[in-house]
Amino acid sequence: MGWKEAAEPVLTRMPAVRRPEGHVPFKRKLMWTAGILMLYFFLTNISLLGVQSGSEDFFGQFRAILAGSQGSVLQVGIGPIVTASIVLQLLGGANLLGLDTDDPRDQVLYQGLQKLLVVLMVILTGLPMVFAGGFLPAVPQLQLGGLTLEGTQLQLLIFAQIFVGGVLILYMDEVVSKWGVGSGIGLFIIAGVSQRLVTGFIQPAAGGFFFDWYRILTGQVEVGSIISGEGLQTLLISQGHIIALLTTLLIFGIVVYAESVRVEIPLSHARVKGARGRFPVKLIYASVLPMILVRAVQANVQFMGQILNRQLASMPSWLGVYSQGQPTGGLFYYLAPIYSPRDWMWWTANVAQEWWQVMIRIGIDVTFMVVGGAIFAIFWVETTDMGPESTAKQIQNSGMQIPGFRQNVGVIEKVMERYIPQVTVIGGALVGLLAVWANMLGTIGNVSGTGLLLAVSITYKLYEEIAEEQLMEMHPMMRQMFGNE
């Protein structure tokens, strides 16, 4: 008996959100999407019961990508979903699962396996946060009704809240995917990044763009001589935020432009004369979403370093040297991503490392993001039926063909192989390079470069999907062409 037969009773019984029967009106989709978004913001403002205030956010700079909120019910955010997706992509890419996603039975098993893995990842992520190293330190005692909780009992209560939040965000994502517009993961990323961008612009405390410029113009901040290096650096980076603003605007412009750059393969209908179309192969063909997977790997590596640092009495210096919870030397320092300009400007007082150490860290980060972006883009394309073979089948099944070529799946696949693999690798590497560049220059609200890329790309695709939904509402016959009927 294979693993599928053994696991089928469990996987087929995993709770699932029922798919809508027939077409869901666009207004109802918007209502579901808005409702889940409001629930998301509501849950991020529910603090974990029994946790001391002011606890350190482990995810830190990864928070914009992994969503959720520190010390809230959604503590783990979409991290477990992303990690489970990485595991499934690796297993599927190595053909170890033996699942045919075209088979309805295997589709159910795949979805059940994904949910089971997410639940396991919630447990594996939540347990160290509560029980190892004090990432979420508990209060000495908690009065709950007539009960007094302390020690292990209190830790179990905190873990139970994290577990419930992790499972909730899984099914919130499924509700949006089936009943709303776009995906829940994309929606939560947009919400988190947008919130940080708005805060970075108008927060009523030091650090906000408008607030800091008000202080500069009214003379409350001593910028120093503009011609001096210190004064120029203060104006451009720390107080003026000029470079951060320009980087934010450039990322918006570059992503929107890259989304419009495409190779269009002409198509014609085999039976209907005059019916023509085009298949677009975008520069960012795999979208920016594979970047979540790349950053999630880095987040998990740093998570391991944090745990080792807190659990070992004395960590070997070659492995990692930590100061105030952040790596300042050793292997985990070199594997840590560049988060802001202050991480690599070795000529300032903020960086204690030598220039060659900083350059090694930058080199590793760039290599990891470029190579990792290309590799995960390939995995993404193959596992989401966007590869040459799957695309050729879709074109063939729609009755279309490429003018000048025989109407044959193999022929169409060969044509697609001229474009899709190359564009996938180039697009994945380009996105990785943009993410590192944005982090090095900084962005408004200290949103990570990857988070900003994701937010802009997801918003653009959401706009396209809304336009498509409105088109289908106006012309119901279009639903059959898009396969949404």
Side-chain angles (χ1 to χ4, degrees):
M1 184 172 62
W3 78 267
K4 291 196 291 186
E5 288 74 15
E8 186 172 5
V10 176
L11 299 183
T12 54
R13 288 177 171 79
M14 293 294 293
V17 176
R18 180 176 59 86
R19 285 192 174 276
E21 297 178 0
H23 174 67
V24 180
F26 179 60
K27 289 184 178 179
R28 187 177 300 174
K29 284 188 174 184
L30 284 182
M31 288 177 61
W32 277 109
T33 305
I36 292 296
L37 184 61
M38 291 176 62
L39 178 61
Y40 169 79
F41 281 121
F42 176 73
L43 292 174
T44 55
N45 284 282
I46 297 181
S47 300
L48 290 170
L49 200 61
V51 174
Q52 292 183 15
S53 59
S55 58
E56 177 187 352
D57 187 2
F58 154 70
F59 289 121
Q61 294 294 328
F62 297 103
R63 179 60 71 187
I65 305 169
L66 300 179
S69 177
Q70 168 66 13
S72 73
V73 174
L74 300 185
Q75 167 74 22
V76 294
I78 61 173
I81 302 176
V82 174
T83 308
S85 178
I86 294 174
V87 174
L88 279 179
Q89 288 209 26
L90 293 176
L91 293 176
N95 201 24
L96 297 176
L97 296 176
L99 294 175
D100 181 10
T101 52
D102 293 329
D103 185 352
R105 172 177 171 269
D106 282 2
Q107 285 181 2
V108 174
L109 294 179
Y110 184 86
Q111 293 169 0
L113 179 60
Q114 186 178 34
K115 287 188 176 69
L116 182 61
L117 277 176
V118 172
V119 172
L120 290 176
M121 292 303 170
V122 171
I123 295 173
L124 293 177
T125 306
L127 283 176
M129 286 185 176
V130 178
F131 294 96
F135 289 108
L136 290 172
V139 296
Q141 281 188 342
L142 177 67
Q143 295 290 335
L144 195 62
L147 298 175
T148 301
L149 301 179
E150 57 185 359
T152 304
Q153 292 179 327
L154 191 51
Q155 289 178 318
L156 287 173
L157 175 63
I158 296 172
F159 173 74
Q161 296 172 78
I162 293 175
F163 179 80
V164 170
V167 174
L168 272 176
I169 204 168
L170 167 65
Y171 286 99
M172 287 161 64
D173 170 55
E174 191 172 1
V175 169
V176 175
S177 300
K178 292 180 178 179
W179 291 86
V181 181
S183 70
I185 290 178
L187 186 68
F188 304 147
I189 291 174
I190 293 174
V193 172
S194 301
Q195 187 175 27
R196 294 188 66 170
L197 279 175
V198 172
T199 302
F201 267 107
I202 61 175
Q203 68 180 39
F209 176 80
F210 290 120
F211 186 80
D212 276 351
W213 268 100
Y214 172 77
R215 297 171 68 217
I216 291 173
L217 295 175
T218 56
Q220 298 179 36
V221 174
E222 182 62 36
V223 176
S225 176
I226 297 300
I227 61 174
S228 71
E230 182 181 353
L232 187 61
Q233 179 180 317
T234 302
L235 184 63
L236 293 178
I237 298 173
S238 58
Q239 295 290 348
H241 305 283
I242 293 177
I243 290 182
L245 176 63
L246 292 177
T247 304
T248 304
L249 295 176
L250 276 174
I251 288 294
F252 270 90
I254 290 173
V255 173
V256 172
Y257 174 75
E259 289 284 355
S260 65
V261 174
R262 63 189 71 191
V263 176
E264 294 187 335
I265 301 173
L267 300 175
S268 63
H269 203 282
R271 297 180 181 178
V272 182
K273 187 177 181 179
R276 297 182 177 274
R278 294 180 182 274
F279 182 82
V281 181
K282 295 183 178 181
L283 176 59
I284 308 181
Y285 183 69
S287 78
V288 187
L289 291 177
M291 280 297 104
I292 304 178
L293 309 180
V294 182
R295 285 304 193 192
V297 172
Q298 289 182 310
N300 287 327
V301 170
Q302 294 303 311
F303 193 18
M304 291 172 56
Q306 295 274 7
I307 293 174
L308 290 174
N309 176 56
R310 292 169 184 261
Q311 294 301 309
L312 297 178
S314 59
M315 181 184 291
S317 58
W318 65 267
L319 188 58
V321 178
Y322 282 79
S323 175
Q324 297 179 346
Q326 297 299 322
T328 56
L331 179 62
F332 285 108
Y333 167 76
Y334 293 114
L335 294 179
I338 299 294
Y339 299 120
S340 68
R342 296 178 181 85
D343 290 337
W344 63 274
M345 292 182 173
W346 60 84
W347 58 86
T348 66
N350 297 314
V351 179
Q353 292 75 24
E354 298 291 335
W355 69 268
W356 59 268
Q357 293 176 298
V358 176
M359 294 305 296
I360 291 175
R361 180 181 175 184
I362 293 175
I364 292 175
D365 193 22
V366 171
T367 303
F368 190 89
M369 289 297 289
V370 171
V371 176
I375 291 174
F376 277 109
I378 294 171
F379 273 122
W380 187 271
V381 166
E382 292 299 327
T383 55
T384 54
D385 294 333
M386 295 171 62
E389 182 180 356
S390 300
T391 302
K393 289 180 180 178
Q394 293 169 14
I395 293 175
Q396 178 77 7
N397 294 336
S398 67
M400 304 294 283
Q401 66 179 28
I402 302 176
F405 294 88
R406 290 187 294 111
Q407 189 180 7
N408 180 276
V409 175
V411 174
I412 299 175
E413 182 181 348
K414 287 183 179 179
V415 175
M416 292 298 170
E417 285 176 349
R418 298 178 188 175
Y419 303 99
I420 292 179
Q422 293 86 342
V423 172
T424 299
V425 172
I426 293 171
L430 175 63
V431 170
L433 194 60
L434 282 174
V436 177
W437 170 67
N439 273 4
M440 290 182 66
L441 296 182
T443 56
I444 292 295
N446 291 324
V447 176
S448 68
T450 310
L452 186 58
L453 284 167
L454 286 167
V456 178
S457 179
I458 293 169
T459 302
Y460 186 87
K461 290 186 179 300
L462 192 61
Y463 163 77
E464 291 184 326
E465 187 167 340
I466 290 175
E468 180 183 308
E469 290 284 345
Q470 289 179 323
L471 178 64
M472 290 188 291
E473 286 290 312
M474 295 171 61
H475 305 282
M477 289 295 295
M478 297 292 292
R479 291 201 290 268
Q480 297 180 358
M481 297 181 62
F482 285 102
N484 291 342
E485 187 62 79

